[in-house]
Amino acid sequence: MGSFQVKDRFADGAQYIDGRLRTGTSGRSHTVVNPATGEEVLSYELASAADVDEAVAAARRAFPAWSAATPAERSDALHQLAAVLAAQAGDLAYAESLQCGKPIKLATEFDVPGTIDNTAFFAGAARHLQGQAAAEYSGDHTSYVRREAIGVVGSIAPWNYPLQMAAWKILPAVAAGNTIVLKPAELTPLTSLMFAQAATEAGIPDGVINIVTGAGRDAGEHLVGHPDVAMTSFTGSTAVGKRVAEIATATVKRLHLELGGKAPFLVFDDADPEAAAHGAVAASLINTGQDCTAATRAYVQRPLYEAFTARVAELMEGVRLGDPLDPATDLGPLVSHAQRDRVAGFVERARGYATVATGGGVPGGALADGAYYRPTLITGAPQDSEIVQSEVFGPVLVVLPFDTDDEGIALANDTPYGLAASAWSRDVYRTGRATRELRAGCVWINDHIPIISEMPHGGYGASGFGKDMSSYSFEEYTQVKHVMYDNTAVAAKDWHRTIFGDR
């Protein structure tokens, strides 16, 4: 595990513009706090609109050369970036854990290697842009498709997976020849800045990747509305996503939104009960439940309902809360005390109409100063209740029974969200139906949470639109141009006569 003095590393500021760290000019500071202890990690000056302007200008200057680089040249640079990130894996995991409260074993075994793998994937994908085969579709012309870079991308990333979300935004954009200005969350900027520094070390030109760390209403909205930004990609809540869409559409930008989720976990009566219980605990508690694909609503067919609920409660009670930097810790704090209090508010309101079967409280003792919340299982909640319908974003799982397969699928689909879902059964026909009828951008069968670089991630409905990861992401970050050549060398073509003259 790496360790370094954060204040020394970012002494020059928490903005990364045109290949160097610099101080924000908003006149307002922000403090990164370790949510496990409440202690200050870094105090820095927030970005102003002027800083955003400078970052966009740097990206615009870098665009002509970077977009003109060959796919092989961009690929080589990204392969080198993967190597630099791998060499810095310990420091990246340490910084991610420090700013998020993420258990070090999750940062070390999931966030960091996932980011390195993403980088290696896009290094290869940069050389494999897809398009329809060139052919004489009209008979008299040869047509082919070009994929061209869009320009400067202005992206906004959330605080729950700062390193991975930075990679998801940056990698497909730059692999396709765009340049980017990324605004990470003010709470968690460290690993986004480290990613950009690693890109410079890998030889990616100055200005291709820029980071502005500022408030959403100042830096974020200015970035989205900037006239020189050709595309906006946003990951965050559905409410903020609507605001981003309003600003982006006013300037007719390409828009990609990955928003909230309320993932169902559908357990049929022939499922392996032990596998389902273990899966539910892991999928609901990953990243302390601060994951838009986390299992939040378990629908369990009635013959398994009581045993499933009891087993999940038992497993949750054995989860180890503790210091995120301790490799034995299972569950760290939420990202902030404000987020902890928000989660606690959902649970306390739910006590008025449901049963808290386990958890539902703040631990004391050595953890009292941190933003910790116990793993929580809730039963007896009505389908239309807040705890079932709204995104809690904490270590909270609601379990509800169902009787028929039709009912289970209908309940699973009964929220505005559609990011992810899972179904648990030994019956191939049941699972096949679930994959067809569950309204979600990702459906897992007999598992819940794993993601891979080769496959797309994105949702339906209130969960937004567009895809991260995979070669499908190039559909977000490239312009498709149809080029058509005349092959006849005939001056007066037959079709001209439909406009003027006679045959």
Side-chain angles (χ1 to χ4, degrees):
M1 182 179 72
S3 63
F4 57 91
Q5 293 299 315
V6 171
K7 292 178 182 179
D8 291 341
R9 177 141 187 180
F10 299 106
D12 292 332
Q15 319 301 325
Y16 197 77
I17 299 172
D18 212 10
R20 66 181 182 89
L21 286 172
R22 48 173 285 177
T23 301
T25 62
S26 70
R28 292 183 293 115
S29 63
H30 185 85
T31 300
V32 178
V33 173
N34 181 344
T37 63
E39 296 174 350
E40 177 183 317
V41 174
L42 176 71
S43 182
Y44 66 92
E45 296 298 313
L46 291 163
S48 66
D51 297 322
V52 173
D53 290 341
E54 290 199 28
V56 172
R60 191 178 182 189
R61 287 193 300 271
F63 176 74
W66 183 249
S67 61
T70 66
E73 288 169 338
R74 292 198 294 268
S75 176
D76 288 348
L78 290 175
H79 276 301
Q80 184 59 36
L81 174 56
V84 173
L85 293 171
Q88 298 177 4
D91 282 353
L92 288 165
Y94 171 75
E96 195 78 334
S97 181
L98 202 63
Q99 68 182 351
C100 299
K102 196 183 296 280
I104 194 65
K105 66 177 180 179
L106 181 66
T108 301
E109 298 178 30
F110 180 71
D111 296 72
V112 173
T115 299
I116 296 167
D117 183 72
N118 254 235
T119 308
F121 171 81
F122 279 107
R127 302 180 73 161
H128 293 91
L129 294 179
Q130 302 278 321
Q132 192 155 349
E136 290 66 52
Y137 294 100
S138 77
D140 291 336
H141 308 81
T142 297
S143 288
Y144 65 88
V145 168
R146 290 178 55 87
R147 282 195 179 273
E148 297 180 346
I150 296 171
V152 177
V153 178
S155 292
I156 299 176
W159 46 256
N160 56 336
Y161 290 100
L163 178 61
Q164 288 206 80
M165 293 297 99
W168 285 18
K169 299 301 183 194
I170 292 168
L171 291 169
V174 302
N178 301 286
T179 56
I180 189 167
V181 178
L182 172 74
K183 193 198 88 65
E186 308 95 293
L187 292 172
T188 55
L190 304 183
T191 47
S192 299
L193 293 163
M194 293 169 70
F195 188 96
Q197 289 178 306
T200 298
E201 187 175 335
I204 293 175
D206 293 350
V208 172
I209 299 171
N210 306 275
I211 309 293
V212 290
T213 309
R217 290 194 176 276
D218 301 326
E221 293 198 1
H222 189 64
L223 178 62
V224 172
H226 200 290
D228 290 334
V229 168
M231 174 184 169
T232 289
S233 177
F234 170 80
T235 296
S237 71
T238 299
V240 177
K242 291 177 180 178
R243 175 62 180 156
V244 168
E246 289 174 2
I247 299 169
T249 53
T251 50
V252 198
K253 286 177 169 52
R254 177 79 66 90
L255 182 61
H256 170 210
L257 298 174
E258 198 267 275
L259 307 177
K262 191 69 179 174
F265 188 99
L266 185 61
V267 183
F268 293 105
D269 58 12
D270 65 337
D272 179 332
E274 191 70 3
H278 277 82
V281 173
S284 61
L285 299 185
I286 184 171
N287 204 35
T288 319
Q290 299 165 124
D291 186 313
C292 49
T293 63
T296 60
R297 301 176 289 136
Y299 296 99
V300 184
Q301 209 151 22
R302 208 168 292 274
L304 292 184
Y305 176 77
E306 289 188 8
F308 174 90
T309 303
R311 183 61 172 141
V312 168
E314 179 183 23
L315 291 171
M316 280 187 169
E317 287 163 6
V319 168
R320 297 165 298 184
L321 282 70
D323 178 1
L325 295 176
D326 182 346
T329 293
D330 296 324
L331 195 76
L334 290 128
V335 74
S336 67
H337 287 79
Q339 180 65 13
R340 191 272 312 275
D341 293 345
R342 179 180 179 275
V343 171
F346 274 101
V347 175
E348 291 310 304
R349 291 189 295 275
R351 292 183 191 276
Y353 54 79
T355 299
V356 177
T358 192
V362 175
L367 304 181
D369 291 335
Y372 290 88
Y373 198 78
R374 295 191 184 282
T376 300
L377 183 67
I378 293 176
T379 62
Q383 174 67 14
D384 62 355
S385 61
E386 177 190 54
I387 202 73
V388 174
Q389 293 293 323
S390 298
E391 190 172 31
V392 177
F393 230 56
V396 178
L397 178 66
V398 184
V399 185
L400 302 93
F402 70 93
D403 292 304
T404 67
D405 289 16
D406 288 350
E407 181 190 11
I409 290 173
L411 289 169
N413 285 333
D414 183 30
T415 72
Y417 300 103
L419 187 58
S422 66
W424 298 70
S425 170
R426 293 184 175 96
D427 186 325
V428 67
Y429 296 103
R430 269 179 157 172
T431 57
R433 179 187 178 188
T435 63
R436 293 189 301 273
E437 297 186 16
L438 288 172
R439 298 283 299 166
C442 177
V443 177
W444 293 285
I445 300 299
N446 295 322
D447 208 342
H448 191 119
I449 282 297
I451 53 175
I452 50 175
S453 297
E454 292 83 356
M455 288 292 150
H457 177 87
Y460 293 13
S463 292
F465 49 83
K467 299 300 179 184
D468 289 312
M469 299 197 298
S470 81
S471 59
Y472 290 98
S473 64
F474 284 120
E475 296 176 6
E476 311 296 323
Y477 292 98
T478 55
Q479 296 276 19
V480 174
K481 178 186 286 184
H482 170 213
V483 177
M484 195 175 201
Y485 278 93
D486 170 59
N487 293 329
T488 67
V490 173
K493 296 178 173 60
D494 280 348
W495 76 266
H496 293 173
R497 306 302 176 236
T498 64
I499 312 302
F500 69 98
D502 301 318
R503 288 190 182 277

